[in-house]
Amino acid sequence: SVSNLLRFRQGRATGEITVSPMFLHDSGCPEHELCKWNVLMHLEEKLSISSENVLAVGDSANDLCLLRRAGVG
């Protein structure tokens, strides 16, 4: 599971988030600096898998890059 981090102060959510570094990749998505495609690239590297062996599911426009990169989207 990869997500941004919601910040808390004294037990209360501040509304501030810290973007997960997994959404950034030096040779990642050509369209967006922060992208789910970049997360997939990190996972491919860490798990030694190729994108052809990935099934991705998404339901909105911010999933399009991920769906294009995956072997099955």
Side-chain angles (χ1 to χ4, degrees):
S1 171
V2 176
S3 68
N4 295 322
L5 304 172
L6 176 61
R7 296 294 173 189
F8 285 78
R9 190 171 297 120
Q10 298 178 341
R12 292 185 174 203
T14 65
E16 298 171 36
I17 62 164
T18 299
V19 175
S20 171
M22 295 281 285
F23 287 96
L24 296 163
H25 196 286
D26 290 337
S27 59
C29 179
E31 296 179 48
H32 310 104
E33 181 181 12
L34 300 170
C35 189
K36 293 178 182 179
W37 171 327
N38 299 336
V39 174
L40 180 53
M41 290 189 72
H42 283 290
L43 293 174
E44 289 172 5
E45 293 166 359
K46 185 164 182 77
L47 301 173
S48 299
I49 59 173
S50 68
S51 59
E52 295 89 30
N53 294 317
V54 172
L55 177 131
V57 178
D59 63 356
S60 62
N62 70 343
D63 297 315
L64 290 176
C65 294
L66 170 68
L67 296 171
R68 288 184 194 121
R69 172 84 181 179
V72 176

